[in-house]
Amino acid sequence: MTGFPTEVDFAVIGAGAAGIGASRRLREAGTVSTVVLEARDRVGGRVHTIAPAGFPLDRGAEWLHSADRNPLSPIAQRLGFSVHRRPPEWTTRLRRSGETIEAEEEWIALREAQRLARHRAATEAEDGSLAGVLEPGGRWSQLLEATSSWANGAELGRVSIKDYVRYEDSGTNWRLGEGYGRLFETLAEGLPVVHEAAVSLVDHGGRAIRLETLRGAVTARRVIVTVPTSIIANEILRFDPPLPDKLAAAAGLPLGVDDKLFISLEGALPGIEHDIYLLGSTISRETMSYQVRPLDRPAIYCFFGGRFAAALEREGQAAMFSFAAGELTRLLGNDIGKRMAPLASTAWLQDPWARGSYSYALPGHADDRAVLAAPVGDRLFFAGEACSPNFFSTAHGAWLSGITAAEAALEKLRAAAADR
Ligand SMILES: Cc1cc2nc3c(=O)[nH]c(=O)nc-3n(C[C@H](O)[C@H](O)[C@H](O)COP(=O)(O)OP(=O)(O)OC[C@H]3O[C@@H](n4cnc5c(N)ncnc54)[C@H](O)[C@@H]3O)c2cc1C
């Protein structure tokens, strides 16, 4: 870890994917002194790998989404990470959850119809919510709600259609054998990160920008803010003079809730060699999605979102496990009950430096991403997944937004030097 400086050219607030991307780009530029001020005692933010049972578990981001377009895919390969290309079948194999093949086909056709309806609705002048294109009381409405809670961290009625359709999904998803978190730890090596240095105030009224942190004050000529929208909207980090546009944009882009429970699984499951995906229920929005024996590991990863996840977080890991064990024994038989034990779980909503999982836009707030990402004058820049126009809610979207902000800041620095 870097010592605490009092004066720098650049300060980056936050050492998550965006802050690491920004800081590496500044380091490439070579000539500027930089500090990365991070509230936690580790880097990575919402990308974090742990290994309580000897194999890596990603508490946050796990998938290289849009992997064939994701700039982190070639970087991971170059760094020697093992990239697993086995495609997930997240929500397409309903027959494993007690539905018939015909029902599964009906669901897949409905999903395509929903996709087209969303794109049509997004061209209308007024924004609406994803619930607006639902058939009232339809056969699959609960499962659509559950899938929204996994994709957006929020129920359909809370999510802007215009924003949702701007997300670019190539449909290719890969995983890293060593964990996504380990990739960001590697990318952060040698960066000037100061841990446990939460910034509470960005005072940008004077000639230099003054940052108040838990470790004391730092002045910087330019600042890149990469904290989650929840931290700006709740004024955990404040600006003086105030920035009401940023506050409003951050409030329009709240973080949804998604959590994970990791379960150890003893012994084989007949007929299941590796990586199958199960949906706990097709008729309740309060359900989990399960990765069984992911990458052939003796484990089950459980994923759940929205209001259901927020409630389970409050109840704790034992309640998460009891719910998951109930669904899994219904699907896989009673015998599995004796072979499972909880390994670890997350509570991202309760995490003080995340306060949620990833951003979605409220109806009418799709353009808030551009407002949040816009620089203030030529000294204050913004990055983070919520600033990404097309890859929001992802680690690579955050990474790219950090690089974009660093390049914009370097450009202003060059322009100012040329004017002198
Ligand atoms: C359960 C879950 C599953 C996910 N799955 C995937 C996935 O499979 N694929 C994918 O691409 N994405 C996934 N994501 C989303 C992805 O993790 C995030 O979009 C991305 O990591 C956000 O990066 P960021 O740099 O914008 O923010 P963060 O990672 O939150 O980084 C911001 C940093 O700022 C720090 N900070 C906060 N406040 C302050 C302060 N006041 N002062 C100083 N530092 C501060 C934080 O500690 C943090 O380190 C998932 C997220 C979760 C929670």
Side-chain angles (χ1 to χ4, degrees), residues 13-366:
I13 307 180
I20 294 170
S23 175
R24 283 176 63 96
R25 182 66 193 87
L26 295 175
R27 185 173 66 181
E28 275 164 32
T31 51
V32 291
S33 69
T34 307
V35 67
V36 186
L37 300 166
E38 167 55 51
R40 302 175 196 267
D41 60 2
R42 61 169 181 82
V43 297
R46 285 172 272 163
V47 192
H48 183 208
T49 307
I50 55 171
F55 49 85
L57 302 173
D58 276 311
R59 297 180 65 249
E62 174 185 7
W63 295 88
L64 289 153
H65 289 312
S66 298
D68 47 349
R69 291 183 53 196
N70 185 326
L72 292 158
S73 303
I75 291 174
Q77 272 161 42
R78 248 193 334 270
L79 290 170
F81 279 72
S82 34
V83 180
H84 292 265
R85 293 181 167 76
R86 200 183 285 157
E89 296 169 322
W90 279 313
T91 59
T92 46
R93 289 288 165 261
L94 301 197
R95 69 188 85 161
R96 295 184 187 132
S97 303
E99 296 285 357
T100 60
I101 291 181
E102 291 73 34
E104 183 180 292
E105 280 165 5
E106 186 188 306
W107 160 250
I108 290 169
L110 173 96
R111 274 166 45 114
E112 177 58 10
Q114 281 278 306
R115 191 183 70 75
L116 296 173
R118 287 167 178 173
H119 278 268
R120 264 195 313 276
T123 62
E124 282 170 21
E126 200 150 319
D127 194 12
S129 82
L130 293 178
V133 294
L134 271 190
E135 180 197 331
R139 149 92 159 93
W140 299 105
S141 58
Q142 298 303 309
L143 187 52
L144 285 167
E145 284 290 1
T147 52
S148 176
S149 77
W150 301 325
N152 307 303
E155 286 64 29
L156 295 162
R158 292 187 59 80
V159 183
S160 151
I161 287 206
K162 282 188 188 288
D163 187 59
Y164 183 87
V165 303
R166 287 179 192 167
Y167 179 76
E168 290 174 24
D169 182 3
S170 76
T172 303
N173 299 284
W174 297 340
R175 274 167 297 178
L176 298 176
E178 297 79 2
Y180 216 160
R182 295 274 183 258
L183 174 64
F184 279 98
E185 282 170 26
T186 306
L187 290 170
E189 277 169 15
L191 295 178
V193 181
V194 180
H195 295 291
E196 294 173 334
V199 179
S200 53
L201 181 71
V202 178
D203 174 354
H204 58 111
R207 264 174 60 83
I209 302 175
R210 190 170 164 282
L211 304 176
E212 279 179 19
T213 88
L214 276 181
R215 288 174 177 267
V218 189
T219 56
R221 292 168 67 193
R222 290 187 166 72
V223 172
I224 302 177
V225 180
T226 76
V227 301
T229 52
S230 52
I231 300 293
I232 297 175
N234 291 306
E235 296 195 79
I236 314 298
L237 174 79
R238 290 187 305 110
F239 297 94
D240 185 16
L243 298 174
D245 289 357
K246 297 291 182 194
L247 221 67
L253 301 166
L255 300 193
V257 188
D258 278 286
D259 277 308
K260 298 184 183 182
L261 166 70
F262 302 99
I263 294 177
S264 66
L265 174 66
E266 236 177 65
L269 289 174
I272 299 178
E273 305 265 299
H274 54 67
D275 277 272
I276 64 154
Y277 295 84
L278 298 174
L279 302 180
S281 164
T282 58
I283 54 168
S284 169
R285 67 176 71 183
E286 298 204 344
T287 185
M288 295 184 180
S289 114
Y290 301 95
Q291 245 187 104
V292 182
R293 295 185 60 81
L295 299 177
D296 307 344
R297 290 173 181 150
I300 301 178
Y301 301 171
C302 320
F303 191 67
F304 45 104
R307 284 200 297 263
F308 174 54
L312 271 184
E313 268 195 24
R314 283 192 293 275
E315 291 182 50
Q317 180 170 292
M320 294 174 186
F321 181 66
S322 155
F323 185 92
E327 287 200 321
L328 287 165
T329 48
R330 261 200 310 282
L331 294 169
L332 299 171
N334 281 337
D335 171 56
I336 196 176
K338 298 190 279 293
R339 298 199 272 133
M340 296 190 299
L343 275 177
S345 58
T346 66
W348 286 104
L349 183 59
Q350 292 176 42
D351 178 311
W353 303 114
R355 295 169 180 250
S357 299
Y358 31 85
S359 68
Y360 63 95
L362 293 168
H365 290 266

